[in-house]
Amino acid sequence: MSDLSLHDGGSAPRRSSIHSVNARTKKRNASEKRFKAYGIAAICVGLFFLVVLAASILSNGTRAFTRTVVSVDFTLTQEQFDAAEGTLFKTKAYSDYFIAAVQQKLQEDGVQIAFDEATIERMMGKVGSAIREHYTANPGDLGQAVAFSLPTSSRVDGYFNGRVTRETMEDSRFLMAADLDLADALSEAGVITSEFNWPFITGADSGVDNPGGAGIGASVIGSFFMMLVVLFLSLPIGVAASIYLEEFAPQNKWTDLIEVNISNLAAVPSIVFGILGLAVFIQFMHLPQSAPLVGGLVLTLMTLPTIIISTRASLKSVPPSIRDAALGVGASKMQAVFHHVLPLAMPGILTGTIIGLAQALGETAPLLLIGMVGFVARGYPDGFLQGFVEPNSAMPAQIYTWAARSDAAFYDKAWGGIIILLLFLLSMNIIAIILRRRFERRW
């Protein structure tokens, strides 16, 4: 009898088969399945909130890209023009001409409704001044039919896009419930229509009592000049600092201190850079307040740590064999870096730079501290160089200004501005992807 048969009563120890699953393996597999389920659930929750955010932005922001206008074919004779210019209240005379044209249009459609100049002023503002400005600038249009498309007030516009209803509206000096009867009659007659709101894209900010005339065009120009300053300062300074720290700087306590401070600066709140810009660039150096030049300098300080960190990471990702091979064939340290290492690191450098610019484009707090608020942007700069020093605003500051106003019509403008800002950010990220694909090399 063998030793196995004699051991412990003659029974051999049983071993589990590789095809069977023991309790410990089942527990480990169940834990893995739970972890996958948690990951899928987290992704689904993130996608859900992303869809909700996108739907909220689009549903609220698209209203800013359309406007309600009163379209009337208006003919003014030379005699009427001379009579209006000869009166003391010129704009009132032109308003009377416009009211007569609207009444004639309604009568042709068989609509009988009474209204006066006060009703038209509540619905459309002072139309007389707009008509007078047109004929004063274009005297050749006298005696000819001219198609006028005059914007309605923000409350009439809100009535047609659903923001204002008869049940929620209260009579005020801005609009009365009886005015909506005229608005409905004009809509049925085809006088009130909706069109794309080009002034929102190309215009500048308006006063707090004129949300319909507010535009973001001037702020887009301000952001453009500001980004030029950031690009032409942060890219060369950041890349040069990264190359020195990564390739040439000696490893001692001073470089360690610099590296630690760069990492800390990347986490400093943006408002701190705004306070620094206010104290140094405006109060000490006396640079023009609210100018894109100052905003660009402040955002350059804020963007530099991001560019330096991303550039150093790109330089580290280049294999050491590239450097060794260049040095081995007789290249100097500078030739090895600039002729071999830097071109291979270029995709990461460009990506980090564009991401840093995109981050700077969306900053609001530092711009508010240096005075780049929405209401200072009253128009386009007179020239290219003036665009850097003339007071202007930026897109995020303009959006904040609109959101802080009490009129609900400005909220639609803020949502629309967010859409334009997101389009710019999306474009910059697409450019970063294209550049990375374009310059990417494999080794």
Side-chain angles (χ1 to χ4, degrees):
M1 184 178 296
S2 63
D3 294 339
L4 292 176
S5 60
L6 297 174
H7 187 267
D8 292 339
S11 60
R14 299 182 60 184
R15 296 182 179 181
S16 59
S17 173
I18 61 174
H19 299 289
S20 63
V21 181
N22 56 27
R24 180 177 296 178
T25 304
K26 290 181 179 180
K27 184 177 180 181
R28 187 167 59 247
N29 293 341
S31 176
E32 182 179 351
K33 290 180 180 179
R34 285 196 305 270
F35 181 78
K36 291 181 179 179
Y38 294 153
I40 294 174
I43 293 174
C44 292
V45 171
L47 290 177
F48 171 75
F49 283 107
L50 179 62
V51 170
V52 171
L53 176 63
S56 300
I57 294 175
L58 293 176
S59 62
N60 291 284
T62 51
R63 292 197 293 259
F65 295 93
T66 60
R67 65 172 184 171
T68 305
V69 297
V70 175
S71 301
V72 177
D73 290 336
F74 187 71
T75 303
L76 186 70
T77 64
Q78 183 68 49
E79 292 76 13
Q80 291 175 322
F81 178 78
D82 295 336
E85 291 298 320
T87 60
L88 180 61
F89 302 101
K90 297 179 177 60
T91 57
K92 183 181 185 306
Y94 287 100
S95 297
D96 294 339
Y97 294 149
F98 180 80
I99 292 173
V102 174
Q103 289 175 338
Q104 182 181 358
K105 175 63 177 177
L106 293 177
Q107 290 174 0
E108 292 175 356
D109 294 336
V111 179
Q112 298 292 333
I113 185 171
F115 58 93
D116 55 7
E117 183 182 1
T119 304
I120 293 295
E121 186 172 340
R122 287 193 297 268
M123 293 180 59
M124 302 175 58
K126 297 185 180 297
V127 297
S129 59
I131 296 175
R132 181 172 183 266
E133 288 176 2
H134 174 81
Y135 283 106
T136 302
N138 304 279
D141 290 342
L142 291 172
Q144 301 179 5
V146 178
F148 280 93
S149 294
L150 302 175
T152 61
S153 66
S154 61
R155 287 166 175 78
V156 175
D157 182 70
Y159 172 68
F160 284 102
N161 61 33
R163 190 182 68 250
V164 177
T165 61
R166 290 179 178 269
E167 292 75 16
T168 60
M169 196 197 75
E170 297 180 358
D171 290 345
S172 67
R173 64 184 181 90
F174 300 106
L175 191 67
M176 302 184 69
D179 300 337
L180 300 180
D181 297 332
L182 176 60
D184 291 333
L186 293 175
S187 178
E188 294 175 0
V191 176
I192 287 184
T193 58
S194 180
E195 67 177 18
F196 188 80
N197 191 5
W198 284 109
F200 173 70
I201 305 295
T202 60
D205 191 19
S206 61
V208 295
D209 57 346
N210 183 26
I216 200 171
S219 298
V220 172
I221 298 299
S223 294
F224 170 75
F225 283 104
M226 193 170 59
M227 288 297 104
L228 286 181
V229 176
V230 178
L231 176 62
F232 286 103
L233 289 180
S234 62
L235 179 59
I237 296 175
V239 172
S242 302
I243 293 175
Y244 175 76
L245 290 174
E246 189 64 29
E247 303 291 341
F248 297 99
Q251 296 297 321
N252 52 41
K253 61 180 181 180
W254 297 111
T255 54
D256 292 340
L257 180 63
I258 293 174
E259 292 175 0
V260 169
N261 281 281
I262 290 175
S263 301
N264 290 335
L265 284 175
V268 171
S270 59
I271 195 170
V272 176
F273 290 98
I275 296 174
L276 176 65
L278 175 64
V280 176
F281 298 130
I282 295 179
Q283 295 180 351
F284 178 73
M285 300 179 62
H286 301 289
L287 293 178
Q289 190 174 2
S290 307
L293 174 62
V294 180
L297 292 173
V298 172
L299 295 181
T300 296
L301 297 177
M302 192 192 71
T303 309
L304 273 176
T306 302
I307 295 179
I308 292 174
I309 292 173
S310 62
T311 301
R312 293 192 65 188
S314 300
L315 294 173
K316 286 181 180 179
S317 66
V318 178
S321 58
I322 302 294
R323 300 173 176 84
D324 297 338
L327 296 174
V329 296
S332 65
K333 179 69 172 178
M334 181 168 291
Q335 289 175 329
V337 171
F338 284 94
H339 294 175
H340 301 277
V341 177
L342 190 59
L344 294 176
M346 191 58 66
I349 294 174
L350 294 177
T351 302
T353 300
I354 295 177
I355 292 176
L357 292 177
Q359 177 190 3
L361 182 63
E363 287 295 337
T364 306
L367 303 182
L368 296 178
L369 285 174
I370 63 174
M372 292 189 69
V373 290
F375 56 82
V376 303
R378 292 302 181 184
Y380 293 97
D382 296 332
F384 182 78
L385 295 180
Q386 286 77 8
F388 292 99
V389 295
E390 288 184 357
N392 206 333
S393 183
M395 285 187 285
Q398 182 66 77
I399 294 170
Y400 173 82
T401 302
W402 284 339
R405 291 177 179 173
S406 59
D407 196 327
F410 281 110
Y411 298 160
D412 294 341
K413 301 290 184 180
W415 284 107
I418 290 173
I419 292 178
I420 294 178
L421 180 61
L422 289 178
L423 289 177
F424 274 88
L425 295 176
L426 181 62
S427 301
M428 296 178 71
N429 283 276
I430 291 175
I431 293 174
I433 294 173
I434 294 174
L435 290 176
R436 171 176 283 275
R437 297 280 180 90
R438 172 66 177 81
F439 293 100
E440 189 172 14
R441 299 182 184 180
R442 298 184 181 275
W443 46 76

